[in-house]
Amino acid sequence: MHSQETTVPVNADIDIVTARQKGRELARDLGFTSTDLALIATAISELARNIILYANSGEIVLSVVENGSRRGLKVVARDDGPGIPDIERALEEGFSTSRSLGLGLSGVRRLMDEFDIVSEVGNGTTVTVKKWRL
Amino acid sequence: MQVPILKQRDYLIASIQAALTDADLLQLRDALVSQVGTYRSRGVIVDVTALDVMDSFAVRTLRDLAHMIRLRGAETVIVGIQPEVSFAMVQLGLTLEGVSTALDLEEGLAYLDKKLRITAPPSVKKRG
Amino acid sequence: MAEANPHPVPLQKVGGPESTAVLLRELVAHLRQSRTQLREEWARRITEAQLLTAMSKEEIFAEATAVYDNYVDVLETGAVEALQDYARNLSERIIPRGVETHEVIGIVLLLRDVLARSLFAKYRQDFDKLSRVLDAYEPAANRIGSTVAVSFVQERERIIREQQEAIRELSTPVLPVRERLLILPIIGMVDPLRARQLTEQLLRGIRTNRARVVVMDITGVPAMDATVANHLVQTVEASRLLGATVIVTGLSPELAQTLVNIGVDLSKMNTVGDLQGGIEEAERQLGYRVVQMIEEPPVQA
C-alpha cells in the first residue's frame, strides 16, 4: 500500500532544491539505481524550474505507482500559470520562450519513461512523468 | 548557502559544499568573475563533487562562468562531476561544451599547471 | 534424552478431547524421542531415492539432522523464521553444487512421509487418535514443506539474478592497462540497455582508476543503429565531463556511415583506425614513450 503522496509547493528557487531532494529520497526508498536517482532528480529539477519560470508558483506531487509487479515513481508538476498555447512546439528540441537553455520539456521526456502533458491557455499546465524500476 | 572561495597560488578554488539554489549559483559566478581580477588569478577551479544534480540552469551558469572568466584572462576547470550526474547531463543534452573538466581537485590543479606553463609568457627577470 | 512435555496444558480446550496445540505437543515429544531412529531412516531414504547425489552420506546425515531439529522446532513453536534462515543458508551452500529444486522438494516430502509413517506405527491401536494427530500434523507439515521449497527457489532466483548481473558486467570489461589508461573492448550487439550499462560501468571505471584516457574498441560490434550510435556519442561526452578523453577505434565503414548519417559532431569524436593505434595515441597523450629494448649480445664467459 503506497497511497501516500508528497506534495512540495513550488514558489521560489529554494523549492526546486527541496522538490528534487524529496523525489530522490522517495526514489531511493523504491530501490532505484544511483544513475536513475540522478535522472529522476534532474527531471524534477527541470519541471520545478519550469513552474517558477512560466507560472511563478505551483506544486510538485510525488507518489509511488504500481503496475503488476513493477513499481515506479510518479511526478506531477502542476501550475495555474498562463498555459502553453502550442504543446507540440514546446516539446521540440531546443524550444524555449524563457531564458533557460530550452531543453526543459523535451529533456525531461528523455530522462523519464513516461511523459504526459495537459495544458490549457489561461488555465495552467500539468506535466505527469513516471519512471519504472528496471 | 555561500560557496567558500580559496585563493591558492595563482588560482581560485571554489568548493561547492551542498546543493545550491539558482541564486547561490549566480552569486558564485559573480564572485569568481570579480575576484579573478582582484587577485590577478590565472586559473579557477570549481569543485562540484558535492552536487548530485546538475540541471540546465546549473550547467548554463557554469558555462557562462567559464566563458566570462576566459574573457577576464583566466582559465576555468570544472572538477568532480559525479558519474551519475554526467550520465544525466548528457541525457539532457548538457555537455558543457568549450569548458574544461577534470576528475577531481588534484587533476584540476595538474591540468591548470600544465596548460598555464605552456602558455606562460617568458619570465621577466627583475633587475637588482 | 527426550523427556516428558515440560509445558503446562493450555487453558482453552477447543474442539474435542484435545486441542491441536496439545496434540502437536505430544507429537513433538514423540519426534524428539524417536529422533535418532527417524533421522537415520530419513537419511537412508534420501540416499535410496537417489536425491542429493552431489552430497556425501555424511553430509546428507549432518544436514538431515539440522533440518529434522528445525522441523520439530517449527512444529513446537509455529514460528518458521529459524527454519527459513536455515533453508536459505542450506540452499546457498547446495545450489552451487548442482542440487535441483525437485531434490529439495523430494527430501521434504520424504521427511513428511517418514514422520507420518512413524505416527501410524505409534497410534495404530487408536484410529481416532491417529486421525486427530494427523489433522494437527498435516497443516503444520505442509507449511514447513512449502517454507523450505520457497526458500530454496528464492535463493536460486537470487543467485540467478546475481549471475546475470555478473555476466552483463563481464560482457564489457573495463580494463586498466596502464596508469590512467583504460581499454573498453566492446564485442557483440549493443542494444540500448547494454549501451547504458556499458556507459555506467565505464564512468565508474574512470572514477575508480582515475583514468585520463579511454580507448573504446568497437571492432567487435557487427552493426549499430542510430539510437545505439547516439548512446556511443553520449558515452564519449559523459566521459569527457569526468575529465577523460575517449579514443574510439575499430569503426567499420558501415558504422562510419551511420555516424555521418545521424549527423554526429565529429569534432567531439577522437577516432583512430585500430586498437593498436588507439593505444599508441593514448600513450602519447599521457606522455608515455614506448622504446624497444635493444637485445644485449650474450655475455662471453
Side-chain angles (χ1 to χ4, degrees), chain C residues 1-10 22 24-26 28-30 32 76:
Chain C
M1 190 189 86
E3 60 215 277
N5 187 356
H7 300 281
V9 177
V22 175
L24 279 177
R25 210 164 286 161
E26 189 177 325
V28 166
H30 166 65
R32 291 237 162 91
E76 185 174 33

Short mmCIF file of all heavy atoms in Angstrom, two decimals, chain C residues 1-10 22 24-26 28-30 32 76:
data_model
loop_
_atom_site.label_atom_id
_atom_site.label_comp_id
_atom_site.label_asym_id
_atom_site.label_seq_id
_atom_site.Cartn_x
_atom_site.Cartn_y
_atom_site.Cartn_z
N MET C 1 16.79 -39.20 26.70
CA MET C 1 17.09 -37.88 26.17
C MET C 1 15.83 -37.03 26.11
O MET C 1 15.71 -36.01 26.76
CB MET C 1 17.70 -38.05 24.79
CG MET C 1 18.29 -36.79 24.22
SD MET C 1 18.73 -37.08 22.51
CE MET C 1 17.23 -36.74 21.70
N ALA C 2 14.86 -37.49 25.31
CA ALA C 2 13.62 -36.73 25.25
C ALA C 2 12.85 -36.95 26.53
O ALA C 2 12.78 -38.07 27.04
CB ALA C 2 12.79 -37.19 24.07
N GLU C 3 12.31 -35.88 27.07
CA GLU C 3 11.63 -36.01 28.35
C GLU C 3 10.15 -35.70 28.19
O GLU C 3 9.72 -35.31 27.10
CB GLU C 3 12.25 -35.05 29.35
CG GLU C 3 12.12 -33.62 28.88
CD GLU C 3 13.32 -32.80 29.27
OE1 GLU C 3 13.34 -32.34 30.39
OE2 GLU C 3 14.23 -32.65 28.43
N ALA C 4 9.44 -35.83 29.26
CA ALA C 4 8.01 -35.53 29.22
C ALA C 4 7.83 -34.04 28.93
O ALA C 4 8.70 -33.23 29.28
CB ALA C 4 7.38 -35.89 30.55
N ASN C 5 6.76 -33.74 28.30
CA ASN C 5 6.49 -32.37 27.91
C ASN C 5 6.51 -31.43 29.12
O ASN C 5 5.73 -31.58 30.04
CB ASN C 5 5.12 -32.34 27.24
CG ASN C 5 4.84 -30.98 26.66
OD1 ASN C 5 5.65 -30.07 26.82
ND2 ASN C 5 3.73 -30.87 25.99
N PRO C 6 7.42 -30.47 29.12
CA PRO C 6 7.53 -29.59 30.27
C PRO C 6 6.46 -28.49 30.28
O PRO C 6 6.29 -27.81 31.28
CB PRO C 6 8.91 -28.98 30.12
CG PRO C 6 9.17 -28.99 28.65
CD PRO C 6 8.39 -30.13 28.07
N HIS C 7 5.79 -28.30 29.16
CA HIS C 7 4.85 -27.17 29.09
C HIS C 7 3.53 -27.51 29.76
O HIS C 7 3.07 -28.63 29.71
CB HIS C 7 4.59 -26.82 27.62
CG HIS C 7 5.83 -26.44 26.91
ND1 HIS C 7 6.39 -25.21 27.03
CD2 HIS C 7 6.63 -27.16 26.09
CE1 HIS C 7 7.50 -25.18 26.29
NE2 HIS C 7 7.67 -26.36 25.72
N PRO C 8 2.94 -26.51 30.41
CA PRO C 8 1.64 -26.76 31.03
C PRO C 8 0.56 -26.93 29.96
O PRO C 8 0.69 -26.45 28.85
CB PRO C 8 1.39 -25.49 31.85
CG PRO C 8 2.19 -24.44 31.18
CD PRO C 8 3.37 -25.11 30.55
N VAL C 9 -0.47 -27.61 30.31
CA VAL C 9 -1.59 -27.80 29.39
C VAL C 9 -2.27 -26.45 29.18
O VAL C 9 -2.46 -25.70 30.13
CB VAL C 9 -2.59 -28.82 30.00
CG1 VAL C 9 -3.80 -29.00 29.09
CG2 VAL C 9 -1.89 -30.14 30.23
N PRO C 10 -2.55 -26.09 27.91
CA PRO C 10 -3.17 -24.78 27.66
C PRO C 10 -4.53 -24.68 28.33
O PRO C 10 -5.21 -25.68 28.55
CB PRO C 10 -3.29 -24.74 26.14
CG PRO C 10 -3.19 -26.15 25.69
CD PRO C 10 -2.37 -26.87 26.69
N VAL C 22 -2.29 -29.26 22.01
CA VAL C 22 -1.92 -30.39 22.85
C VAL C 22 -1.42 -31.56 22.00
O VAL C 22 -0.39 -32.19 22.30
CB VAL C 22 -3.13 -30.83 23.72
CG1 VAL C 22 -2.78 -32.08 24.52
CG2 VAL C 22 -3.54 -29.69 24.63
N LEU C 24 -0.12 -31.40 19.04
CA LEU C 24 1.20 -31.08 18.46
C LEU C 24 2.28 -31.27 19.50
O LEU C 24 3.38 -31.73 19.19
CB LEU C 24 1.21 -29.65 17.92
CG LEU C 24 0.58 -29.44 16.53
CD1 LEU C 24 0.60 -27.97 16.16
CD2 LEU C 24 1.33 -30.26 15.47
N ARG C 25 1.95 -30.94 20.72
CA ARG C 25 2.94 -31.07 21.78
C ARG C 25 3.30 -32.55 21.99
O ARG C 25 4.46 -32.91 22.17
CB ARG C 25 2.37 -30.47 23.06
CG ARG C 25 3.43 -29.91 23.95
CD ARG C 25 2.82 -29.02 24.98
NE ARG C 25 2.38 -27.75 24.42
CZ ARG C 25 1.51 -26.96 25.00
NH1 ARG C 25 0.95 -27.31 26.13
NH2 ARG C 25 1.20 -25.80 24.45
N GLU C 26 2.28 -33.36 21.95
CA GLU C 26 2.50 -34.80 22.10
C GLU C 26 3.35 -35.31 20.94
O GLU C 26 4.30 -36.09 21.10
CB GLU C 26 1.13 -35.50 22.13
CG GLU C 26 1.23 -36.97 22.50
CD GLU C 26 -0.16 -37.61 22.60
OE1 GLU C 26 -1.11 -36.92 23.03
OE2 GLU C 26 -0.28 -38.80 22.22
N VAL C 28 5.43 -33.57 19.12
CA VAL C 28 6.80 -33.08 19.24
C VAL C 28 7.58 -33.97 20.20
O VAL C 28 8.72 -34.37 19.94
CB VAL C 28 6.81 -31.61 19.73
CG1 VAL C 28 8.20 -31.19 20.18
CG2 VAL C 28 6.32 -30.70 18.61
N ALA C 29 6.95 -34.32 21.30
CA ALA C 29 7.61 -35.20 22.27
C ALA C 29 7.99 -36.52 21.62
O ALA C 29 9.10 -37.03 21.79
CB ALA C 29 6.71 -35.42 23.48
N HIS C 30 7.05 -37.05 20.85
CA HIS C 30 7.32 -38.31 20.16
C HIS C 30 8.48 -38.19 19.17
O HIS C 30 9.38 -39.03 19.13
CB HIS C 30 6.05 -38.77 19.42
CG HIS C 30 6.29 -39.86 18.42
ND1 HIS C 30 6.72 -41.13 18.80
CD2 HIS C 30 6.21 -39.86 17.07
CE1 HIS C 30 6.87 -41.86 17.69
NE2 HIS C 30 6.57 -41.11 16.64
N ARG C 32 10.90 -36.06 19.19
CA ARG C 32 12.17 -35.86 19.89
C ARG C 32 12.69 -37.20 20.40
O ARG C 32 13.88 -37.50 20.32
CB ARG C 32 11.98 -34.90 21.08
CG ARG C 32 11.69 -33.47 20.63
CD ARG C 32 12.71 -32.47 21.20
NE ARG C 32 12.68 -31.22 20.43
CZ ARG C 32 11.90 -30.18 20.76
NH1 ARG C 32 11.15 -30.22 21.85
NH2 ARG C 32 11.90 -29.10 20.00
N GLU C 76 6.73 -27.27 17.16
CA GLU C 76 6.53 -26.89 18.54
C GLU C 76 6.12 -25.43 18.70
O GLU C 76 5.18 -25.12 19.42
CB GLU C 76 7.82 -27.13 19.34
CG GLU C 76 7.64 -26.87 20.82
CD GLU C 76 8.88 -27.25 21.62
OE1 GLU C 76 9.99 -27.10 21.08
OE2 GLU C 76 8.72 -27.67 22.76
#
